[in-house]
Amino acid sequence: MEKQERVILVTNDDGITAPGIRALIEAVRPLGKVVVVAPDSPQSGKGHAITIGTPLRLNQVDIFEGIEAWQCSGTPVDCVKLARDKILHGKPDICVSGINHGANHSINVIYSGTMSAAMEAAIEGIPSVGFSFLEYSYDADFTLPKKVAFEVTQKMLASDLPAGTLFNVNIPVVSEQDYKGLKISRQADAKWVEEFDERRDPHGKKYYWLTGEFKNRDTGEDTDVWALDNHYASLVPVQFDLTNYTLKKKLEEDWKDL
């Protein structure tokens, strides 16, 4: 019996016309049947938001030659939900999200639409991965990210991964010659120290722009930030069970009188 072709769901948060998703499609296309379901406009920073107050629109588009592609009016998570229920009518073999313009390392994973799309698929038991490139330019060279995306996706498809597997992959801005390979990492203890730039509109009313500075408080050499600073791509295995088991165990002893 002929082996069935793997189904690869591709999504993102930068929108279906972003260069990063085209690069990801090109990277994983040799590995199976690609189906794209992505937002019709940029959705960066939406996290795990879903649309509940307005109807969702889903339209098929012909923008990737030979690839079934749909654009959705909702969030990245909406895209994954609709892909499973209305497009694929079941689970794909893998979900790949990205390639995001900009970093999703350290605490950024909490806010990232790229990672939330992959996380939604993982919640459904689909092995999933989000790819991010530390280059923000629209005209970024995706040669190295495509190589990393192909190798990681190929390895995932060839591995016996448990249900709920979710990887966060970030790729540095370095030449292929200076690239050192993939480093399995942990999430760094690093975050944005935020400020709000207060301004006034022509009517004198206040408005705000979110600004800030990235601070890395983690000196470990096993973190995603360290890997990226040292010319590695980082891969962090991510979980969506937010239970603090160490504290849970302590509370079971210290608070047992309640």
Side-chain angles (χ1 to χ4, degrees):
M1 182 181 294
E2 187 176 346
K3 190 174 180 179
Q4 192 170 6
E5 190 176 23
R6 300 292 189 94
V7 176
I8 303 170
L9 174 62
V10 177
T11 188
N12 75 345
D13 75 346
D14 287 325
I16 198 165
T17 60
I21 196 170
R22 183 174 292 276
L24 184 55
I25 292 165
E26 292 171 358
V28 302
R29 191 169 188 165
L31 300 174
K33 177 186 177 182
V34 172
V35 177
V36 179
V37 184
D40 60 10
S41 60
Q43 300 283 319
S44 296
K46 288 296 181 72
H48 215 88
I50 57 174
T51 302
I52 57 175
T54 57
L56 289 167
R57 307 291 181 183
L58 193 60
N59 298 305
Q60 191 163 9
V61 292
D62 184 16
I63 56 177
F64 309 111
E65 186 177 353
I67 298 291
E68 180 183 354
W70 298 78
Q71 64 180 18
C72 172
S73 62
T75 68
V77 173
D78 291 329
C79 290
V80 173
K81 288 179 177 291
L82 281 169
R84 183 181 183 277
D85 191 58
K86 297 300 180 185
I87 305 301
L88 300 175
H89 304 289
K91 296 180 182 180
D93 291 283
I94 192 171
C95 175
V96 296
S97 182
I99 300 170
N100 189 68
H101 288 260
N104 276 318
H105 56 51
S106 61
I107 198 64
N108 295 336
V109 69
I110 298 294
Y111 304 99
S112 166
T114 300
M115 282 304 297
S116 287
M119 185 178 293
E120 178 63 27
I123 290 170
E124 293 294 330
I126 304 160
S128 304
V129 56
F131 294 102
S132 301
F133 185 31
L134 273 62
E135 171 64 82
Y136 290 87
S137 170
Y138 187 84
D139 298 323
D141 180 358
F142 280 92
T143 302
L144 178 59
K146 285 168 63 175
K147 168 184 165 65
V148 174
F150 172 81
E151 291 176 347
V152 170
T153 304
Q154 183 182 49
K155 188 71 172 177
M156 290 179 71
L157 287 169
S159 301
D160 184 19
L161 297 172
T165 294
L166 174 61
F167 295 149
N168 181 21
V169 175
N170 281 267
I171 301 135
V173 183
V174 295
S175 67
E176 287 191 82
Q177 292 73 27
D178 293 332
Y179 174 60
K180 294 182 180 178
L182 186 73
K183 177 78 73 174
I184 308 301
S185 311
R186 65 174 173 85
Q187 181 180 315
D189 180 13
K191 67 183 291 290
W192 286 91
V193 178
E194 296 162 342
E195 296 179 0
F196 286 90
D197 184 9
E198 182 179 306
R199 304 181 186 182
R200 291 187 182 271
D201 66 20
H203 301 285
K205 294 183 178 180
K206 293 179 183 178
Y207 68 96
Y208 302 90
W209 280 108
L210 177 61
T211 65
E213 184 179 2
F214 185 73
K215 297 286 188 180
N216 182 16
R217 301 170 294 191
D218 201 321
T219 59
E221 296 186 359
D222 59 343
T223 72
D224 48 9
V225 174
W226 185 93
L228 293 159
D229 286 345
N230 287 273
H231 295 186
Y232 293 93
S234 64
L235 184 152
V236 177
V238 177
Q239 64 182 19
F240 40 83
D241 179 353
L242 301 182
T243 306
N244 184 331
Y245 287 97
T246 302
L247 182 56
K248 176 179 178 290
K249 186 175 181 180
K250 178 176 171 54
L251 291 175
E252 286 170 344
E253 292 298 321
D254 295 350
W255 291 23
K256 60 185 178 183
D257 57 324
L258 294 182

